[in-house]
Amino acid sequence: MSGIIGRKVGMTQIFKDGVMVPVTVVRAGPCVVCQKKTEEIDGYTAIQLGFEKQKEHRVTKPMKGHFKKADVAPMKLLREFRCENPDQYELGQEITIDIFKEGTKIDVVGTSKGKGYSGVMKRWNFSGGEKTHGSKFHRGLGSTGQHSYPARVFPGKKMPGQYGNERVTIQNLEIVRIDKENNLLAVKGAIPGAKNSVVYLSNTVKSY
Amino acid sequence: MSDALIRAIEQPDYKSVTPFRIGDTIRVHQKIKEGNKERIQKFEGIVIQRRGGGMGKTFTVRKIGANGIGVEKIFPINSPSLEKIEVVKTGKVRRAKIFYIRDIVGVVKIKERRKKRK
């Protein structure tokens, strides 16, 4: 499995085989291999990728040492991607969107837009009550359960609370177009997060 | 910045289209696929609006069809199915959207635009 770090650019629509498809544009890579995780030392195998250069004075001393070990420039973002054989990569090796092909499918991980403390209508799509006609029940959640038995609210009951700003994975999104020159990728459909937010692209976990 | 990147990925889809204006009478040649056969359908009418930007840019053509029923078609300007656009007649109108021609009973008269002197 291989992946890459990117940033969401925005949405548009492009023509594919004469049909207009909605796409999200992602600026992905080039990433640099900063560390190799091995079975002997770490107990699992993975490669650690860095994305976007960071100014030297903004990096802490321990992190400077980490980057020096791999002999790479300091990076803003680091993320591990599991792979079975990390030895096929070299420290400092550049990974670009060449790992993906047009027409194949990928998984995208992002952080959804935060919606704050939201009620049940927004958060769980409850239908709410009538606004008028003497109704006193508007946007509430109604009953939360039974009475003296079980005398408690069951765990998992859908209630108001923090909505959004959480990690969301979208699986099996088709790559419609790749622009290698600008490191751009057009993925069919929407992906989580605001413009300019960080997303992780990787090969699909499920394949049909 | 982000807009420039979006334009970059759309780039291959942009087409150079015969320039036309609102009020012009144009003939749109559109490729239509029926099974394996491909044919060209022509649609002739007055351009009543152009809207949108980037890939979402469209234009609307209005004609009076059979039995005097008005027919409007909206075409994405960058659609690959658009084979060709011919300007049959230029028109001179005073607004960007000429929806008022929908309410005109009878023949729609639009003045012809004068050609630029060289």
Side-chain angles (χ1 to χ4, degrees), chain B residues 28-32 38-42 83:
Chain B
V28 183
H29 296 241
Q30 190 184 15
K31 272 185 273 181
I32 288 180
E38 210 178 63
R39 65 186 176 85
I40 292 196
Q41 191 185 60
K42 290 170 208 156
E83 182 79 11

Side-chain angles (χ1 to χ4, degrees), chain B residues 26-49:
Chain B
I26 62 170
R27 195 178 294 138
V28 183
H29 296 241
Q30 190 184 15
K31 272 185 273 181
I32 288 180
K33 249 190 182 168
E34 282 167 337
N36 293 325
K37 272 189 214 162
E38 210 178 63
R39 65 186 176 85
I40 292 196
Q41 191 185 60
K42 290 170 208 156
F43 190 86
E44 188 178 327
I46 301 168
V47 184
I48 62 167
Q49 79 163 334

Side-chain angles (χ1 to χ4, degrees), chain A residues 10-173:
Chain A
M11 288 195 73
T12 181
Q13 39 197 353
I14 55 183
F15 285 100
K16 191 198 164 220
D17 305 328
V19 181
M20 206 178 231
V21 286
V23 293
T24 310
V25 183
V26 179
R27 180 169 59 84
C31 292
V32 171
V33 180
C34 294
Q35 196 188 0
K36 289 193 270 188
K37 300 264 181 179
T38 54
E39 194 73 52
E40 301 89 65
I41 300 166
D42 309 288
Y44 63 97
T45 55
I47 51 165
Q48 187 188 59
L49 296 185
F51 179 53
E52 289 183 347
K53 274 186 189 143
Q54 179 68 288
K55 281 179 184 165
E56 191 86 29
H57 69 274
R58 295 218 170 118
V59 186
T60 59
K61 258 191 175 173
M63 285 315 287
K64 263 182 199 163
H66 178 72
F67 289 117
K68 208 176 172 190
K69 234 184 197 174
D71 201 20
V72 294
M75 296 283 164
K76 251 182 211 168
L77 295 158
L78 287 177
R79 188 183 141 89
E80 283 176 21
F81 288 92
R82 287 292 190 98
C83 71
E84 280 178 11
N85 183 17
D87 287 331
Q88 64 188 16
Y89 300 97
E90 273 172 48
L91 285 178
Q93 186 187 336
E94 226 175 49
I95 291 179
T96 60
I97 47 173
D98 291 342
I99 55 170
F100 297 126
K101 277 192 198 106
E102 265 175 41
T104 55
K105 294 196 169 171
I106 53 168
D107 289 351
V108 179
V109 179
T111 307
S112 62
K113 277 185 184 174
K115 272 131 179 120
Y117 195 98
S118 305
V120 285
M121 282 179 70
K122 194 183 182 79
R123 194 179 183 210
W124 300 109
N125 298 325
F126 282 20
S127 48
E130 278 189 328
K131 282 178 184 165
T132 53
H133 294 298
S135 166
K136 291 174 183 173
F137 175 64
H138 302 301
R139 297 183 61 94
L141 74 164
S143 168
T144 53
Q146 300 76 6
H147 197 234
S148 45
Y149 181 80
R152 65 190 175 100
V153 177
F154 287 114
K157 171 72 198 147
K158 288 169 182 172
M159 284 190 173
Q162 165 67 31
Y163 181 40
N165 193 21
E166 59 178 356
R167 181 191 160 103
V168 178
T169 308
I170 309 279
Q171 295 177 333
N172 288 311
L173 291 174

